[in-house]
Amino acid sequence: MSRRGGGEKTETTNETSREAATNTTDQPNKMKVINVVYIIAALDITWMFLQFSVTPYLAKKLGFDTLWFGYLQTTVGLVQLLGGPLFGRFADLFGARAALSLSCSATIVFFLLLAIANHPAMLFVHKLPTVFMHVLPASQMVVADLSEPEKRADALSKLGLCFGVGMIVGSTLGGHLSKHYGETFAACFGAAGSAFSLMLVLKFIPKTTKVQAPKTTTDTEKKSKSIFNVGEITRLMKFPGVTPTFVVKVVAGLPSGIFQVMFSVIAMEFFKLEPEQNGYLMAYFGIVSMVVQGGVIGRLTARYSESSLLLLAIGVSAFVGLAQAYMQNVFQFCLIVLPMMFSLSVFNVITDSMLTKSVPSSDTGTMMGLCSSVQSLLRTVGPTIGGFLYVNYGVSSIGFIQFVVNIAVFMFLLQRPLKTDEQKD
């Protein structure tokens, strides 16, 4: 009986593996899934930027001052910092459909809690589902799994194009809905939109995008497949090239991340922008990002190596910091935005591509979760570091630190270029 049961279990595993291979080896099907993922990512960013037009005004109505709103943002950073790697591990173990379904479902709950928030404590409660809200890392995992290694950076950059579209549409839509129909209606609209995203996931996303479906045949393997197995997450750092690339991503990305976190304060106090003007500036960011990630990065990756492009991005970022240190008005900043968005886009896409190539396909979700945790870390520590620098030394201090750090990283990489070995299952 036991032998017969084991045979049935083996047959089931083999069938799942064959189904996974069918889903991921047919090129037209791959492109169809990738294109649907682009749509899902663009919709998710739209709903998130819609939320950015609701939460600050609702927080103000509920009596939040700048300090408490900062605590609220830090809460999100901490929750997503903890959730990112675990969600990535979940995606690797249970597949793309389960991961994206979980994330979209959490987003629905997030917006419904925002819609009924009528007390300061509820604003903190409605942030708790963000532990599962990782549509973008899950989308990056799917794209990394289904794209050819030599075309991966270009494919990942298209997600940046989706980000730009979502930023423009979401900011505009959120402001319009909040102004004419109120914050509650805007939050309900976000919940309905997230439900539509969930339907797309269930309809078009395959159960798994891995070359081979995960197998759990022994107790030891089952233990290693635990979502909460920290050793399995940190194990990725032992692959060749992963740790130095990850360190570069954190160190070189920290100064520019601080500027991004502090930008709302800089826009209000340094540039003296009104909310409407700030909205136009955000739209400008989105347009530049779309042009760079949709039309520039693909051409660059086809001609130049990833290590060369990483050096270029870090070098440009250094001089962007120097320009920010000496800028005096918003017009000068608008000129700086062009190289700033170029360096940010190239840096993030290239480091993500290098990291996913350095680990097996079965671990790309966990790696994308770790990459997303870098952004969460910036949102957690950025307000504290940026606030200290801004209050005590002004905007120029943030720019000078970005210049010094990126020049140092640039010189280090000239001496010791990053090398990544492509991993195969």
Side-chain angles (χ1 to χ4, degrees):
M1 289 293 290
S2 60
R3 182 176 299 177
R4 178 180 160 187
E8 291 175 352
K9 187 173 184 179
T10 303
E11 288 176 7
T12 302
T13 302
N14 291 336
E15 288 175 4
T16 307
S17 299
R18 286 196 295 271
E19 180 185 353
T22 301
N23 285 336
T24 57
T25 55
D26 186 357
Q27 190 62 31
N29 282 346
K30 282 184 180 181
M31 292 310 302
K32 179 182 177 182
V33 173
I34 288 175
N35 288 332
V36 172
V37 165
Y38 287 152
I39 294 172
I40 292 170
L43 289 173
D44 180 70
I45 298 301
T46 299
W47 312 140
M48 285 302 97
F49 273 90
L50 181 148
Q51 178 262 148
F52 293 155
S53 300
V54 174
T55 305
Y57 298 98
L58 183 59
K60 188 175 181 180
K61 286 184 178 179
L62 295 177
F64 275 57
D65 57 15
T66 304
L67 180 63
W68 276 97
F69 190 71
Y71 291 154
L72 187 65
Q73 296 301 95
T74 301
T75 300
V76 178
L78 284 172
V79 171
Q80 292 204 311
L81 178 63
L82 296 173
L86 295 179
F87 180 86
R89 185 78 182 139
F90 176 90
D92 282 335
L93 294 178
F94 297 98
R97 185 190 299 163
L100 284 168
S101 297
L102 174 63
S103 192
C104 290
S105 299
T107 307
I108 296 172
V109 176
F110 172 88
F111 276 109
L112 291 177
L113 289 173
L114 180 61
I116 63 174
N118 56 4
H119 187 275
M122 282 299 296
L123 278 184
F124 283 94
V125 171
H126 107 276
K127 298 293 187 183
L128 296 181
T130 58
V131 70
F132 301 118
M133 289 167 57
H134 298 278
V135 169
L136 193 56
S139 300
Q140 290 172 320
M141 180 197 76
V142 174
V143 172
D145 288 343
L146 300 184
S147 59
E148 299 298 326
E150 63 272 12
K151 297 181 180 179
R152 185 168 299 171
D154 183 35
L156 288 171
S157 72
K158 297 299 188 297
L159 285 170
L161 178 64
C162 298
F163 190 93
V165 171
M167 179 189 295
I168 295 170
V169 176
S171 299
T172 305
L173 183 63
H176 177 79
L177 292 177
S178 297
K179 180 178 178 180
H180 294 283
Y181 303 102
E183 288 85 3
T184 300
F185 179 85
C188 290
F189 190 92
S194 300
F196 177 71
S197 299
L198 177 60
M199 288 190 289
L200 289 179
V201 170
L202 297 175
K203 177 69 176 177
F204 295 105
I205 303 301
K207 182 177 180 181
T208 180
T209 54
K210 308 296 182 185
V211 176
Q212 292 182 330
K215 299 182 183 122
T216 54
T217 55
T218 68
D219 291 339
T220 303
E221 288 177 342
K222 287 179 181 178
K223 186 176 180 180
S224 70
K225 298 293 184 182
S226 170
I227 298 173
F228 301 100
N229 190 330
V230 178
E232 283 296 300
I233 296 174
T234 58
R235 171 182 60 87
L236 301 186
M237 292 298 173
K238 299 177 182 178
F239 284 99
V242 170
T243 297
T245 304
F246 201 80
V247 170
V248 167
K249 186 176 182 68
V250 173
V251 175
L254 181 60
S256 58
I258 291 173
F259 183 86
Q260 293 174 63
V261 169
M262 292 299 298
F263 180 73
S264 59
V265 175
I266 294 171
M268 286 188 297
E269 297 186 2
F270 187 76
F271 294 135
K272 309 294 184 184
L273 296 184
E274 297 295 329
E276 185 178 7
Q277 295 170 323
N278 189 42
Y280 291 145
L281 192 57
M282 294 297 292
Y284 174 56
F285 285 173
I287 292 171
V288 174
S289 176
M290 288 167 58
V291 172
V292 171
Q293 304 207 54
V296 176
I297 293 182
R299 290 180 171 86
L300 289 176
T301 54
R303 288 190 171 192
Y304 305 103
S305 67
E306 290 184 339
S307 57
S308 298
L309 291 175
L310 181 60
L311 270 175
L312 175 64
I314 293 173
V316 172
S317 180
F319 287 99
V320 165
L322 192 62
Q324 289 171 350
Y326 288 104
M327 69 181 177
Q328 299 296 322
N329 53 57
V330 71
F331 175 75
Q332 293 175 354
F333 178 68
C334 286
L335 296 178
I336 296 171
V337 164
L338 297 172
M340 182 182 79
M341 295 306 295
F342 171 81
S343 62
L344 283 173
S345 300
V346 173
F347 178 78
N348 288 325
V349 168
I350 295 301
T351 51
D352 287 349
S353 177
M354 293 175 76
L355 287 168
T356 55
K357 288 178 182 178
S358 300
V359 299
S361 172
S362 57
D363 291 314
T364 52
T366 306
M367 180 53 70
M368 286 291 91
L370 287 170
C371 289
S372 72
S373 69
V374 174
Q375 300 302 318
S376 301
L377 176 65
L378 295 179
R379 287 197 297 270
T380 303
V381 304
T384 302
I385 299 175
F388 173 80
L389 292 173
Y390 180 77
V391 170
N392 292 281
Y393 305 103
V395 176
S396 60
S397 64
I398 301 176
F400 280 126
I401 288 177
Q402 180 171 331
F403 173 73
V404 171
V405 171
N406 280 271
I407 282 292
V409 174
F410 182 86
M411 297 304 295
F412 175 79
L413 291 180
L414 278 180
Q415 301 296 321
R416 300 178 62 180
L418 292 177
K419 295 180 180 180
T420 56
D421 297 328
E422 185 180 328
Q423 297 291 323
K424 296 180 181 179
D425 286 317

